[in-house]
Amino acid sequence: MAAAPPTKKARVGEKREWPLSARRKVTVDEWNGKTLVSIREFYTKDGKSLPGKGISLTTGQFEKLRALKADVEKALEMKDELDADERKEFGRLSMVRKVSLKHYSGVWLVDIREMYKKKDGMEVPGRKGISLNEEQWNKLSENMEVIQEAILEGGVKSVVPSSSNGSSSSISKKEAESIASAGGKAEGDSALKDENKDGPWSLSSKRKVSVNEYRGTLIINFREYYLKDGKELPGRKGIALNVDQWKKVFKNMEEINRKLESEEEGQWPISHNRKACIREFNSKYMVDVREFYTKDGKECPGKKGIMMPQCQWAKFIQSANAINAVVLKRSQSKEVDNGKGDS
């Protein structure tokens, strides 16, 4: 395979893209502080280049794609010996995403795709994904190391959804709407700028984390709010953690984040009946902090809890150190007050 042409290194703030064909390219974008590698087809509307079908990979998924590179290239070299009626699978990028080689209309295609399960349990390819011919795959393969350098350097700072001045991200409109519907807002939104350093801290337009005292106990409250008569009131959806439970969430935060990036399920107990989990819901991986109960010998999720999509978890990560500082300050203050009361 021909060596990739030399590519200039990215400067901070410089948009990076790698063409695969006249209409397809790879870009690196950020959404709420999370880097995504998009492999996408573009179309022109009203003189603007807009993202169409394709797929956006997390950095963990892109790393797995790089690891499969040699297997894909070996299969392409031996394509004449393969059965055109069978799809050759190379491996998974996540629980629901996989890479395979398929034969379509006389052409072998490298398919990077999200799968879903039918009611009968059969796994079938979904719409989210892209099929690359051999030339397009080779261009992607040749630039993988340069793309990885751009990710590590953090040289790209484009934000979805598209801004009013006509600039656009390579994340599709549908994906942007999906993130937005889960409560996400663009980086720099006022929701990220907490007016009070002691909280509350916004996760979305309806969800907040606050540090309060309830019946003499300090609690860290993850809560969804609603409006009534013009007033914002706490709803039933959410969970209040005591200080010990908070410490366990905070301690495991980085490991949870790594697992979430790689779209791996996991669980971290925070009390005898509460845990933080990574769960798949509607083909999306979310962080669920929840209370559980036992029924007929089985552990079942209860109503007390909150499930955060990745955009809300990212906002929590941004605020976690500030939340912890307030927890420590108020815990120490309570210890001093209790000490005075005993004297």
Side-chain angles (χ1 to χ4, degrees):
M1 182 182 297
T7 308
K8 291 181 180 178
K9 286 194 174 184
R11 297 187 298 273
V12 174
E14 181 184 3
K15 185 169 179 63
R16 297 301 303 274
E17 55 185 46
W18 297 264
L20 303 180
S21 70
R23 296 175 57 194
R24 293 182 168 190
K25 57 188 171 185
V26 183
T27 60
V28 179
D29 300 277
E30 273 199 17
W31 170 259
N32 275 348
K34 184 174 181 179
T35 303
L36 299 175
V37 180
S38 290
I39 309 169
R40 198 162 294 282
E41 188 168 296
F42 287 72
Y43 65 97
T44 302
K45 185 178 181 181
D46 299 329
K48 296 177 182 178
S49 178
L50 301 174
K53 66 181 181 180
I55 193 165
S56 294
L57 308 178
T58 64
T59 54
Q61 291 168 10
F62 182 70
E63 184 64 34
K64 290 178 181 178
L65 181 62
R66 288 174 65 216
L68 295 173
K69 173 182 168 180
D71 291 340
V72 174
E73 290 174 354
K74 185 177 180 181
L76 285 171
E77 289 174 2
M78 301 174 60
K79 60 181 180 291
D80 293 336
E81 301 174 23
L82 298 176
D83 186 345
D85 295 327
E86 291 187 10
R87 180 187 288 258
K88 179 175 176 57
E89 296 184 0
F90 300 106
R92 290 186 179 265
L93 306 181
S94 73
M95 292 286 289
V96 294
R97 292 180 168 185
K98 61 170 63 172
V99 182
S100 61
L101 187 65
K102 67 178 184 179
H103 194 261
Y104 181 75
S105 296
V107 179
W108 285 99
L109 301 171
V110 179
D111 194 40
I112 305 168
R113 192 157 301 277
E114 191 164 294
M115 314 295 285
Y116 72 95
K117 286 186 178 180
K118 297 173 70 175
K119 290 182 179 180
D120 60 5
M122 181 181 293
E123 189 179 60
V124 294
R127 292 185 178 181
K128 192 178 290 184
I130 194 163
S131 296
L132 306 176
N133 62 32
E134 191 168 355
E135 181 182 357
Q136 292 165 4
W137 166 262
N138 288 344
K139 288 181 179 179
L140 170 61
S141 176
E142 288 167 358
N143 284 294
M144 278 184 176
E145 299 309 312
V146 184
I147 295 169
Q148 181 67 13
E149 284 180 22
I151 293 169
L152 296 174
E153 290 170 4
V156 181
K157 297 291 179 184
S158 67
V159 181
V160 291
S162 300
S163 64
S164 58
N165 63 9
S167 62
S168 64
S169 156
S170 59
I171 297 171
S172 70
K173 180 180 178 182
K174 190 172 182 180
E175 283 179 302
E177 288 173 348
S178 174
I179 296 171
S181 68
K185 292 187 179 180
E187 199 170 343
D189 190 277
S190 59
L192 292 177
K193 299 175 183 176
D194 297 300
E195 294 179 2
N196 187 343
K197 65 179 181 180
D198 291 336
W201 296 267
S202 297
L203 302 179
S204 74
S205 58
K206 294 182 179 180
R207 290 182 168 187
K208 300 177 183 178
V209 182
S210 59
V211 181
N212 311 105
E213 195 167 313
Y214 180 71
R215 294 182 179 177
T217 301
L218 196 64
I219 61 170
I220 299 82
N221 197 8
F222 291 74
R223 186 73 43 192
E224 189 166 298
Y225 289 74
Y226 66 97
L227 285 175
K228 185 177 181 180
D229 300 328
K231 295 181 180 179
E232 191 176 58
L233 301 173
R236 293 184 177 182
K237 189 176 290 186
I239 191 167
L241 308 180
N242 63 32
V243 174
D244 287 338
Q245 292 165 3
W246 161 259
K247 286 179 179 178
K248 289 175 182 176
V249 171
F250 186 74
K251 178 183 176 183
N252 290 299
M253 186 176 65
E254 290 187 8
E255 184 183 354
I256 294 171
N257 203 47
R258 284 195 298 271
K259 291 273 190 180
L260 187 64
E261 284 280 345
S262 302
E263 295 192 343
E264 298 177 37
E265 294 185 344
Q267 52 183 280
W268 296 262
I270 59 176
S271 75
H272 74 283
N273 65 340
R274 290 182 168 189
K275 61 179 75 172
C277 313
I278 295 176
R279 297 170 59 190
E280 185 188 347
F281 181 74
N282 286 342
S283 298
K284 303 291 181 183
Y285 283 82
M286 304 191 182
V287 177
D288 191 26
V289 182
R290 190 162 299 278
E291 189 166 293
F292 289 76
Y293 66 95
T294 303
K295 184 178 180 180
D296 299 330
K298 294 181 180 180
E299 188 179 61
C300 305
K303 292 183 178 180
K304 285 185 181 178
I306 194 160
M307 187 179 288
M308 292 174 276
Q310 293 188 24
C311 55
Q312 293 177 15
W313 174 257
K315 288 185 180 181
F316 166 67
I317 290 288
Q318 291 171 352
S319 303
N321 285 328
I323 298 170
N324 195 54
V326 172
V327 172
L328 291 175
K329 182 176 74 173
R330 294 187 63 172
S331 296
Q332 291 166 358
S333 177
K334 280 184 67 65
E335 288 175 4
V336 171
D337 290 344
N338 290 337
K340 286 180 180 178
D342 293 339
S343 60

